[in-house]
Short mmCIF file of all heavy atoms in Angstrom, two decimals:
data_model
loop_
_atom_site.label_atom_id
_atom_site.label_comp_id
_atom_site.label_asym_id
_atom_site.label_seq_id
_atom_site.Cartn_x
_atom_site.Cartn_y
_atom_site.Cartn_z
N MET H 1 -24.13 -64.57 -7.65
CA MET H 1 -23.41 -63.27 -7.24
C MET H 1 -23.29 -62.42 -8.48
O MET H 1 -22.95 -62.93 -9.52
CB MET H 1 -22.13 -63.63 -6.61
CG MET H 1 -21.38 -62.39 -6.17
SD MET H 1 -19.84 -62.95 -5.33
CE MET H 1 -19.53 -61.55 -4.32
N SER H 2 -23.56 -61.11 -8.37
CA SER H 2 -23.46 -60.26 -9.57
C SER H 2 -22.00 -59.88 -9.78
O SER H 2 -21.14 -60.02 -8.91
CB SER H 2 -24.26 -59.04 -9.37
OG SER H 2 -23.77 -58.26 -8.23
N GLU H 3 -21.72 -59.45 -11.01
CA GLU H 3 -20.34 -59.09 -11.41
C GLU H 3 -19.91 -57.78 -10.68
O GLU H 3 -20.76 -56.89 -10.55
CB GLU H 3 -20.30 -58.89 -12.85
CG GLU H 3 -18.85 -58.67 -13.35
CD GLU H 3 -18.84 -58.58 -14.88
OE1 GLU H 3 -19.60 -59.30 -15.58
OE2 GLU H 3 -18.05 -57.75 -15.34
N LEU H 4 -18.72 -57.72 -10.21
CA LEU H 4 -18.21 -56.51 -9.53
C LEU H 4 -17.95 -55.40 -10.48
O LEU H 4 -17.52 -55.71 -11.56
CB LEU H 4 -16.89 -56.91 -8.78
CG LEU H 4 -17.03 -57.96 -7.67
CD1 LEU H 4 -15.65 -58.32 -7.16
CD2 LEU H 4 -17.95 -57.51 -6.54
N PRO H 5 -18.17 -54.23 -10.07
CA PRO H 5 -17.91 -53.13 -10.97
C PRO H 5 -16.39 -52.90 -11.15
O PRO H 5 -15.61 -53.20 -10.17
CB PRO H 5 -18.50 -51.85 -10.23
CG PRO H 5 -18.57 -52.27 -8.77
CD PRO H 5 -18.74 -53.79 -8.77
N LYS H 6 -15.99 -52.47 -12.30
CA LYS H 6 -14.62 -52.12 -12.56
C LYS H 6 -14.28 -50.78 -12.11
O LYS H 6 -15.02 -49.85 -12.32
CB LYS H 6 -14.27 -52.27 -14.07
CG LYS H 6 -14.49 -53.72 -14.57
CD LYS H 6 -13.96 -53.92 -15.99
CE LYS H 6 -14.34 -55.23 -16.57
NZ LYS H 6 -13.92 -56.38 -16.04
N VAL H 7 -13.12 -50.59 -11.39
CA VAL H 7 -12.71 -49.29 -10.94
C VAL H 7 -11.90 -48.64 -11.95
O VAL H 7 -10.95 -49.16 -12.39
CB VAL H 7 -11.91 -49.49 -9.58
CG1 VAL H 7 -11.54 -48.16 -9.04
CG2 VAL H 7 -12.74 -50.21 -8.59
N THR H 8 -12.19 -47.40 -12.33
CA THR H 8 -11.46 -46.61 -13.23
C THR H 8 -11.23 -45.21 -12.62
O THR H 8 -11.88 -44.79 -11.68
CB THR H 8 -12.04 -46.39 -14.60
OG1 THR H 8 -13.27 -45.64 -14.41
CG2 THR H 8 -12.48 -47.78 -15.15
N ALA H 9 -10.32 -44.42 -13.20
CA ALA H 9 -10.14 -43.02 -12.68
C ALA H 9 -11.35 -42.24 -12.78
O ALA H 9 -11.62 -41.31 -11.98
CB ALA H 9 -8.99 -42.42 -13.48
N ALA H 10 -12.26 -42.58 -13.75
CA ALA H 10 -13.49 -41.79 -13.88
C ALA H 10 -14.48 -42.01 -12.75
O ALA H 10 -15.42 -41.19 -12.54
CB ALA H 10 -14.16 -42.27 -15.27
N ASP H 11 -14.22 -43.01 -11.90
CA ASP H 11 -15.05 -43.25 -10.73
C ASP H 11 -14.92 -42.23 -9.61
O ASP H 11 -15.63 -42.11 -8.74
CB ASP H 11 -14.89 -44.62 -10.17
CG ASP H 11 -15.48 -45.69 -11.02
OD1 ASP H 11 -16.66 -45.66 -11.38
OD2 ASP H 11 -14.75 -46.68 -11.35
N PHE H 12 -13.77 -41.46 -9.71
CA PHE H 12 -13.40 -40.48 -8.62
C PHE H 12 -13.74 -39.09 -9.08
O PHE H 12 -13.52 -38.70 -10.27
CB PHE H 12 -12.01 -40.73 -8.23
CG PHE H 12 -11.77 -42.05 -7.60
CD1 PHE H 12 -11.44 -43.10 -8.40
CD2 PHE H 12 -12.04 -42.33 -6.32
CE1 PHE H 12 -11.26 -44.42 -7.88
CE2 PHE H 12 -11.93 -43.61 -5.79
CZ PHE H 12 -11.48 -44.65 -6.56
N ALA H 13 -14.16 -38.24 -8.17
CA ALA H 13 -14.54 -36.87 -8.46
C ALA H 13 -13.30 -35.99 -8.79
O ALA H 13 -13.46 -34.99 -9.42
CB ALA H 13 -15.30 -36.24 -7.31
N ALA H 14 -12.13 -36.42 -8.24
CA ALA H 14 -10.95 -35.58 -8.51
C ALA H 14 -9.76 -36.53 -8.89
O ALA H 14 -9.85 -37.74 -8.55
CB ALA H 14 -10.52 -34.87 -7.21
N PRO H 15 -8.86 -36.13 -9.68
CA PRO H 15 -7.73 -36.93 -10.00
C PRO H 15 -6.97 -37.43 -8.82
O PRO H 15 -6.76 -36.70 -7.88
CB PRO H 15 -6.83 -36.04 -10.92
CG PRO H 15 -7.61 -34.84 -11.21
CD PRO H 15 -8.67 -34.73 -10.19
N LEU H 16 -6.61 -38.72 -8.84
CA LEU H 16 -5.91 -39.26 -7.69
C LEU H 16 -4.37 -39.03 -7.74
O LEU H 16 -3.71 -39.10 -6.72
CB LEU H 16 -6.16 -40.78 -7.50
CG LEU H 16 -7.62 -41.10 -7.31
CD1 LEU H 16 -7.82 -42.61 -7.18
CD2 LEU H 16 -8.17 -40.48 -6.00
N THR H 17 -3.88 -38.63 -8.90
CA THR H 17 -2.51 -38.28 -9.09
C THR H 17 -2.21 -37.02 -8.27
O THR H 17 -2.81 -36.02 -8.41
CB THR H 17 -2.17 -38.01 -10.52
OG1 THR H 17 -2.57 -39.21 -11.24
CG2 THR H 17 -0.65 -37.76 -10.69
N GLY H 18 -1.30 -37.18 -7.36
CA GLY H 18 -0.90 -36.05 -6.52
C GLY H 18 -1.88 -35.64 -5.38
O GLY H 18 -1.77 -34.60 -4.83
N ALA H 19 -2.87 -36.56 -5.16
CA ALA H 19 -3.81 -36.29 -4.05
C ALA H 19 -3.12 -36.19 -2.78
O ALA H 19 -2.20 -37.00 -2.50
CB ALA H 19 -4.95 -37.36 -4.10
N THR H 20 -3.51 -35.27 -1.95
CA THR H 20 -2.93 -35.18 -0.59
C THR H 20 -4.04 -35.28 0.45
O THR H 20 -5.17 -34.91 0.21
CB THR H 20 -2.24 -33.81 -0.36
OG1 THR H 20 -3.18 -32.77 -0.55
CG2 THR H 20 -1.11 -33.63 -1.39
N VAL H 21 -3.70 -35.86 1.50
CA VAL H 21 -4.61 -36.05 2.64
C VAL H 21 -4.33 -34.86 3.63
O VAL H 21 -3.18 -34.65 4.05
CB VAL H 21 -4.43 -37.38 3.31
CG1 VAL H 21 -5.41 -37.55 4.54
CG2 VAL H 21 -4.66 -38.51 2.30
N LYS H 22 -5.41 -34.19 3.89
CA LYS H 22 -5.26 -33.06 4.84
C LYS H 22 -6.07 -33.34 6.13
O LYS H 22 -6.87 -34.38 6.15
CB LYS H 22 -5.80 -31.78 4.22
CG LYS H 22 -5.07 -31.45 2.98
CD LYS H 22 -5.65 -30.26 2.22
CE LYS H 22 -4.91 -30.01 0.90
NZ LYS H 22 -5.55 -29.05 0.12
N ARG H 23 -6.00 -32.48 7.11
CA ARG H 23 -6.82 -32.72 8.34
C ARG H 23 -7.87 -31.47 8.39
O ARG H 23 -7.60 -30.35 7.95
CB ARG H 23 -5.93 -32.63 9.58
CG ARG H 23 -4.99 -33.75 9.60
CD ARG H 23 -5.02 -34.34 10.96
NE ARG H 23 -4.20 -35.53 11.07
CZ ARG H 23 -4.66 -36.74 11.32
NH1 ARG H 23 -5.90 -36.84 11.69
NH2 ARG H 23 -3.86 -37.75 11.35
N ASN H 24 -9.06 -31.83 8.90
CA ASN H 24 -10.08 -30.83 9.12
C ASN H 24 -9.69 -30.06 10.36
O ASN H 24 -8.81 -30.44 11.12
CB ASN H 24 -11.49 -31.56 9.26
CG ASN H 24 -11.90 -32.28 8.02
OD1 ASN H 24 -11.74 -31.72 6.92
ND2 ASN H 24 -12.36 -33.52 8.09
N ALA H 25 -10.37 -29.00 10.58
CA ALA H 25 -10.22 -28.14 11.77
C ALA H 25 -10.32 -28.93 13.11
O ALA H 25 -9.57 -28.66 13.96
CB ALA H 25 -11.16 -26.97 11.83
N ASP H 26 -11.13 -29.90 13.11
CA ASP H 26 -11.29 -30.80 14.32
C ASP H 26 -10.23 -31.88 14.44
O ASP H 26 -10.24 -32.59 15.41
CB ASP H 26 -12.67 -31.31 14.39
CG ASP H 26 -12.98 -32.34 13.31
OD1 ASP H 26 -12.06 -32.67 12.45
OD2 ASP H 26 -14.07 -32.88 13.31
N GLY H 27 -9.33 -32.01 13.51
CA GLY H 27 -8.22 -32.94 13.57
C GLY H 27 -8.58 -34.22 12.79
O GLY H 27 -7.67 -35.11 12.63
N SER H 28 -9.79 -34.41 12.37
CA SER H 28 -10.17 -35.63 11.64
C SER H 28 -9.55 -35.53 10.16
O SER H 28 -9.23 -34.49 9.75
CB SER H 28 -11.64 -35.78 11.49
OG SER H 28 -12.30 -34.74 10.84
N VAL H 29 -9.41 -36.67 9.61
CA VAL H 29 -8.76 -36.78 8.25
C VAL H 29 -9.86 -36.40 7.23
O VAL H 29 -10.97 -36.79 7.22
CB VAL H 29 -8.26 -38.21 7.97
CG1 VAL H 29 -7.71 -38.26 6.54
CG2 VAL H 29 -7.24 -38.64 9.01
N ASP H 30 -9.44 -35.45 6.30
CA ASP H 30 -10.30 -35.07 5.19
C ASP H 30 -10.13 -35.97 4.00
O ASP H 30 -9.04 -35.88 3.38
CB ASP H 30 -9.98 -33.58 4.85
CG ASP H 30 -10.78 -33.03 3.70
OD1 ASP H 30 -11.67 -33.74 3.20
OD2 ASP H 30 -10.50 -31.93 3.16
N LEU H 31 -11.03 -36.75 3.74
CA LEU H 31 -10.98 -37.74 2.60
C LEU H 31 -11.67 -37.23 1.38
O LEU H 31 -11.92 -37.99 0.43
CB LEU H 31 -11.53 -39.06 3.08
CG LEU H 31 -10.75 -39.75 4.21
CD1 LEU H 31 -11.48 -41.04 4.62
CD2 LEU H 31 -9.38 -40.12 3.80
N SER H 32 -11.99 -35.95 1.31
CA SER H 32 -12.77 -35.41 0.17
C SER H 32 -12.01 -35.63 -1.20
O SER H 32 -12.72 -35.69 -2.24
CB SER H 32 -13.13 -33.99 0.34
OG SER H 32 -11.98 -33.19 0.49
N ALA H 33 -10.67 -35.73 -1.15
CA ALA H 33 -10.02 -35.98 -2.41
C ALA H 33 -10.34 -37.32 -2.98
O ALA H 33 -10.03 -37.60 -4.17
CB ALA H 33 -8.47 -35.83 -2.17
N PHE H 34 -10.98 -38.21 -2.18
CA PHE H 34 -11.27 -39.60 -2.71
C PHE H 34 -12.77 -39.79 -2.87
O PHE H 34 -13.18 -40.88 -2.95
CB PHE H 34 -10.67 -40.52 -1.69
CG PHE H 34 -9.21 -40.35 -1.36
CD1 PHE H 34 -8.82 -39.71 -0.27
CD2 PHE H 34 -8.21 -40.75 -2.33
CE1 PHE H 34 -7.40 -39.47 -0.10
CE2 PHE H 34 -6.89 -40.52 -2.16
CZ PHE H 34 -6.50 -39.96 -1.01
N ARG H 35 -13.53 -38.73 -2.96
CA ARG H 35 -14.98 -38.90 -3.23
C ARG H 35 -15.23 -39.50 -4.56
O ARG H 35 -14.45 -39.31 -5.53
CB ARG H 35 -15.74 -37.51 -3.12
CG ARG H 35 -15.82 -36.97 -1.83
CD ARG H 35 -16.74 -35.78 -1.88
NE ARG H 35 -16.82 -35.20 -0.54
CZ ARG H 35 -17.53 -35.60 0.52
NH1 ARG H 35 -18.25 -36.75 0.33
NH2 ARG H 35 -17.52 -35.08 1.64
N LEU H 36 -16.31 -40.26 -4.64
CA LEU H 36 -16.71 -40.87 -5.94
C LEU H 36 -17.39 -39.82 -6.84
O LEU H 36 -18.03 -38.87 -6.31
CB LEU H 36 -17.69 -42.03 -5.68
CG LEU H 36 -17.10 -43.23 -4.92
CD1 LEU H 36 -18.21 -44.22 -4.67
CD2 LEU H 36 -15.91 -43.83 -5.64
N ALA H 37 -17.16 -39.89 -8.10
CA ALA H 37 -17.86 -39.06 -9.09
C ALA H 37 -19.31 -39.35 -9.13
O ALA H 37 -19.75 -40.49 -8.91
CB ALA H 37 -17.20 -39.23 -10.41
N SER H 38 -20.09 -38.36 -9.50
CA SER H 38 -21.52 -38.60 -9.63
C SER H 38 -21.74 -39.59 -10.83
O SER H 38 -21.12 -39.44 -11.88
CB SER H 38 -22.19 -37.23 -10.04
OG SER H 38 -23.52 -37.40 -10.30
N GLY H 39 -22.60 -40.58 -10.54
CA GLY H 39 -22.81 -41.57 -11.55
C GLY H 39 -21.83 -42.76 -11.54
O GLY H 39 -21.92 -43.66 -12.39
N SER H 40 -20.91 -42.78 -10.62
CA SER H 40 -19.97 -43.84 -10.47
C SER H 40 -20.67 -45.17 -10.28
O SER H 40 -21.62 -45.22 -9.51
CB SER H 40 -18.92 -43.60 -9.41
OG SER H 40 -18.21 -44.68 -9.09
N ASP H 41 -20.14 -46.26 -10.95
CA ASP H 41 -20.70 -47.58 -10.65
C ASP H 41 -20.36 -48.10 -9.25
O ASP H 41 -20.96 -49.12 -8.77
CB ASP H 41 -20.08 -48.59 -11.63
CG ASP H 41 -20.49 -48.40 -13.06
OD1 ASP H 41 -21.59 -47.69 -13.28
OD2 ASP H 41 -19.84 -48.82 -14.00
N LEU H 42 -19.48 -47.41 -8.52
CA LEU H 42 -19.18 -47.86 -7.21
C LEU H 42 -20.13 -47.27 -6.11
O LEU H 42 -20.04 -47.74 -5.01
CB LEU H 42 -17.69 -47.35 -6.87
CG LEU H 42 -16.62 -47.83 -7.91
CD1 LEU H 42 -15.29 -47.27 -7.45
CD2 LEU H 42 -16.59 -49.38 -7.97
N THR H 43 -20.95 -46.30 -6.57
CA THR H 43 -21.91 -45.84 -5.61
C THR H 43 -23.03 -46.90 -5.42
O THR H 43 -23.53 -47.47 -6.29
CB THR H 43 -22.56 -44.53 -6.15
OG1 THR H 43 -21.58 -43.57 -6.43
CG2 THR H 43 -23.59 -43.94 -5.17
N ASN H 44 -23.28 -47.11 -4.11
CA ASN H 44 -24.29 -48.12 -3.67
C ASN H 44 -23.94 -49.57 -4.18
O ASN H 44 -24.82 -50.42 -4.40
CB ASN H 44 -25.66 -47.78 -4.16
CG ASN H 44 -26.20 -46.58 -3.43
OD1 ASN H 44 -25.93 -46.36 -2.20
ND2 ASN H 44 -26.99 -45.79 -4.05
N ALA H 45 -22.70 -49.84 -4.41
CA ALA H 45 -22.32 -51.21 -4.91
C ALA H 45 -21.85 -52.16 -3.78
O ALA H 45 -21.56 -53.26 -4.10
CB ALA H 45 -21.15 -51.02 -5.95
N GLY H 46 -21.78 -51.66 -2.54
CA GLY H 46 -21.31 -52.51 -1.44
C GLY H 46 -22.43 -53.17 -0.74
O GLY H 46 -23.66 -53.13 -1.13
N ILE H 47 -22.14 -54.00 0.26
CA ILE H 47 -23.17 -54.58 1.11
C ILE H 47 -22.78 -54.26 2.61
O ILE H 47 -21.66 -54.05 2.92
CB ILE H 47 -23.14 -56.16 0.84
CG1 ILE H 47 -21.81 -56.76 1.21
CG2 ILE H 47 -23.59 -56.48 -0.53
CD1 ILE H 47 -21.85 -58.28 1.33
N VAL H 48 -23.81 -54.26 3.43
CA VAL H 48 -23.67 -54.08 4.79
C VAL H 48 -23.19 -55.45 5.36
O VAL H 48 -23.85 -56.46 5.20
CB VAL H 48 -24.89 -53.59 5.55
CG1 VAL H 48 -24.67 -53.57 7.02
CG2 VAL H 48 -25.38 -52.27 5.03
N PRO H 49 -22.02 -55.50 6.10
CA PRO H 49 -21.55 -56.77 6.60
C PRO H 49 -22.53 -57.26 7.66
O PRO H 49 -23.09 -56.51 8.44
CB PRO H 49 -20.17 -56.45 7.15
CG PRO H 49 -20.17 -54.99 7.43
CD PRO H 49 -21.21 -54.34 6.42
N PRO H 50 -22.65 -58.59 7.81
CA PRO H 50 -23.49 -59.12 8.86
C PRO H 50 -22.84 -58.91 10.22
O PRO H 50 -21.60 -58.73 10.30
CB PRO H 50 -23.51 -60.66 8.53
CG PRO H 50 -22.21 -60.89 7.76
CD PRO H 50 -21.96 -59.64 6.99
N GLY H 51 -23.71 -58.96 11.24
CA GLY H 51 -23.21 -58.73 12.60
C GLY H 51 -23.38 -57.34 13.11
O GLY H 51 -23.99 -56.47 12.44
N SER H 52 -22.88 -57.15 14.26
CA SER H 52 -23.01 -55.83 14.97
C SER H 52 -22.04 -54.86 14.44
O SER H 52 -20.88 -55.14 14.24
CB SER H 52 -22.84 -56.07 16.42
OG SER H 52 -23.00 -54.85 17.13
N LEU H 53 -22.54 -53.61 14.16
CA LEU H 53 -21.66 -52.51 13.72
C LEU H 53 -21.62 -51.44 14.82
O LEU H 53 -22.64 -51.32 15.57
CB LEU H 53 -22.12 -51.95 12.38
CG LEU H 53 -22.06 -52.94 11.23
CD1 LEU H 53 -22.76 -52.24 10.00
CD2 LEU H 53 -20.71 -53.22 10.86
N PRO H 54 -20.66 -50.58 14.89
CA PRO H 54 -20.58 -49.53 15.91
C PRO H 54 -21.42 -48.31 15.54
O PRO H 54 -21.30 -47.30 16.23
CB PRO H 54 -19.12 -49.21 15.99
CG PRO H 54 -18.60 -49.50 14.69
CD PRO H 54 -19.31 -50.73 14.18
N PHE H 55 -22.37 -48.48 14.63
CA PHE H 55 -23.24 -47.40 14.20
C PHE H 55 -24.45 -47.99 13.58
O PHE H 55 -24.45 -49.16 13.33
CB PHE H 55 -22.54 -46.44 13.18
CG PHE H 55 -22.03 -47.13 11.92
CD1 PHE H 55 -22.93 -47.22 10.83
CD2 PHE H 55 -20.82 -47.67 11.91
CE1 PHE H 55 -22.51 -47.88 9.71
CE2 PHE H 55 -20.33 -48.33 10.73
CZ PHE H 55 -21.19 -48.44 9.62
N ASP H 56 -25.48 -47.18 13.42
CA ASP H 56 -26.81 -47.59 12.89
C ASP H 56 -26.62 -47.54 11.33
O ASP H 56 -26.84 -46.53 10.70
CB ASP H 56 -27.90 -46.75 13.39
CG ASP H 56 -29.24 -47.20 12.87
OD1 ASP H 56 -29.49 -48.46 12.83
OD2 ASP H 56 -30.07 -46.34 12.48
N ALA H 57 -26.39 -48.73 10.74
CA ALA H 57 -26.15 -48.76 9.25
C ALA H 57 -27.31 -48.27 8.46
O ALA H 57 -27.12 -47.48 7.46
CB ALA H 57 -25.77 -50.22 8.85
N PRO H 58 -28.59 -48.65 8.76
CA PRO H 58 -29.68 -48.13 7.92
C PRO H 58 -29.78 -46.65 7.85
O PRO H 58 -30.16 -46.10 6.82
CB PRO H 58 -30.94 -48.76 8.49
CG PRO H 58 -30.40 -50.00 9.19
CD PRO H 58 -29.04 -49.60 9.73
N SER H 59 -29.53 -45.98 8.96
CA SER H 59 -29.61 -44.48 8.97
C SER H 59 -28.32 -43.83 8.37
O SER H 59 -28.32 -42.66 8.02
CB SER H 59 -29.91 -44.03 10.33
OG SER H 59 -28.79 -44.21 11.26
N TYR H 60 -27.18 -44.55 8.37
CA TYR H 60 -25.88 -43.97 7.87
C TYR H 60 -25.82 -44.07 6.36
O TYR H 60 -25.42 -43.04 5.67
CB TYR H 60 -24.74 -44.71 8.45
CG TYR H 60 -23.42 -44.16 8.03
CD1 TYR H 60 -22.88 -42.99 8.56
CD2 TYR H 60 -22.68 -44.81 7.02
CE1 TYR H 60 -21.71 -42.46 8.19
CE2 TYR H 60 -21.45 -44.31 6.69
CZ TYR H 60 -20.94 -43.10 7.18
OH TYR H 60 -19.79 -42.58 6.74
N TYR H 61 -26.16 -45.19 5.73
CA TYR H 61 -26.02 -45.38 4.38
C TYR H 61 -27.16 -44.88 3.58
O TYR H 61 -28.34 -45.04 4.00
CB TYR H 61 -25.81 -46.81 4.02
CG TYR H 61 -24.55 -47.44 4.58
CD1 TYR H 61 -24.50 -48.48 5.45
CD2 TYR H 61 -23.28 -46.91 4.14
CE1 TYR H 61 -23.40 -48.97 5.95
CE2 TYR H 61 -22.09 -47.44 4.62
CZ TYR H 61 -22.18 -48.39 5.57
OH TYR H 61 -20.95 -49.00 6.02
N ALA H 62 -27.01 -44.20 2.50
CA ALA H 62 -28.10 -43.75 1.62
C ALA H 62 -28.23 -44.85 0.53
O ALA H 62 -27.58 -44.72 -0.46
CB ALA H 62 -27.77 -42.40 1.00
N GLY H 63 -28.98 -45.90 0.79
CA GLY H 63 -29.03 -47.05 0.00
C GLY H 63 -28.05 -48.06 0.50
O GLY H 63 -27.91 -48.27 1.70
N ALA H 64 -27.32 -48.68 -0.37
CA ALA H 64 -26.22 -49.56 0.01
C ALA H 64 -24.88 -48.84 0.21
O ALA H 64 -24.77 -47.72 -0.29
CB ALA H 64 -26.07 -50.65 -1.09
N PRO H 65 -23.96 -49.42 0.88
CA PRO H 65 -22.63 -48.71 1.05
C PRO H 65 -21.92 -48.50 -0.27
O PRO H 65 -22.09 -49.29 -1.18
CB PRO H 65 -21.84 -49.70 1.92
CG PRO H 65 -22.82 -50.64 2.56
CD PRO H 65 -23.96 -50.68 1.58
N ASP H 66 -21.26 -47.33 -0.35
CA ASP H 66 -20.50 -47.08 -1.54
C ASP H 66 -19.14 -47.75 -1.30
O ASP H 66 -18.67 -48.08 -0.32
CB ASP H 66 -20.16 -45.54 -1.59
CG ASP H 66 -21.42 -44.72 -1.83
OD1 ASP H 66 -22.43 -45.27 -2.30
OD2 ASP H 66 -21.40 -43.55 -1.57
N LEU H 67 -18.50 -48.14 -2.52
CA LEU H 67 -17.25 -48.68 -2.50
C LEU H 67 -16.16 -47.59 -2.78
O LEU H 67 -15.55 -47.45 -3.78
CB LEU H 67 -17.06 -49.75 -3.63
CG LEU H 67 -18.02 -50.99 -3.53
CD1 LEU H 67 -17.78 -51.91 -4.75
CD2 LEU H 67 -17.74 -51.63 -2.20
N GLY H 68 -16.04 -46.80 -1.69
CA GLY H 68 -15.07 -45.74 -1.71
C GLY H 68 -14.74 -45.21 -0.34
O GLY H 68 -15.35 -45.77 0.61
N ALA H 69 -13.86 -44.30 -0.22
CA ALA H 69 -13.45 -43.86 1.15
C ALA H 69 -14.50 -42.99 1.77
O ALA H 69 -14.49 -42.87 3.02
CB ALA H 69 -12.10 -43.06 1.02
N VAL H 70 -15.40 -42.39 0.98
CA VAL H 70 -16.40 -41.42 1.55
C VAL H 70 -17.75 -41.86 1.01
O VAL H 70 -17.99 -42.07 -0.15
CB VAL H 70 -16.01 -40.00 1.07
CG1 VAL H 70 -17.06 -39.00 1.56
CG2 VAL H 70 -14.65 -39.59 1.38
N GLU H 71 -18.69 -42.02 2.00
CA GLU H 71 -20.06 -42.34 1.67
C GLU H 71 -20.77 -41.14 1.11
O GLU H 71 -20.84 -40.04 1.77
CB GLU H 71 -20.82 -42.87 2.90
CG GLU H 71 -22.25 -43.25 2.73
CD GLU H 71 -22.46 -44.46 1.88
OE1 GLU H 71 -21.52 -45.32 1.65
OE2 GLU H 71 -23.62 -44.66 1.44
N ALA H 72 -21.38 -41.24 -0.14
CA ALA H 72 -22.09 -40.17 -0.77
C ALA H 72 -23.39 -40.06 0.02
O ALA H 72 -24.01 -40.99 0.35
CB ALA H 72 -22.34 -40.38 -2.19
N ARG H 73 -23.85 -38.79 0.24
CA ARG H 73 -25.10 -38.50 0.94
C ARG H 73 -26.00 -37.70 0.15
O ARG H 73 -25.63 -36.78 -0.54
CB ARG H 73 -24.81 -37.91 2.26
CG ARG H 73 -23.96 -38.83 3.11
CD ARG H 73 -24.17 -38.65 4.47
NE ARG H 73 -23.30 -39.57 5.21
CZ ARG H 73 -23.63 -40.19 6.29
NH1 ARG H 73 -24.87 -40.01 6.78
NH2 ARG H 73 -22.81 -41.00 6.87
#
């Protein structure tokens, strides 16, 4: 098993201090405050869990899953 990436503030596109969660016009939660920064070690660092998922994982993920609240596309 490979070593897990270390999470730092630099992994996020915006400072997490004082981050607020808002709602989009359709009522869904806007998680853009938690996007990963470009070049973050957490991008494509996850794995698709085994078993059935409620969506088509190969078409959803751009590579491997990101270790963050929002999948980079």
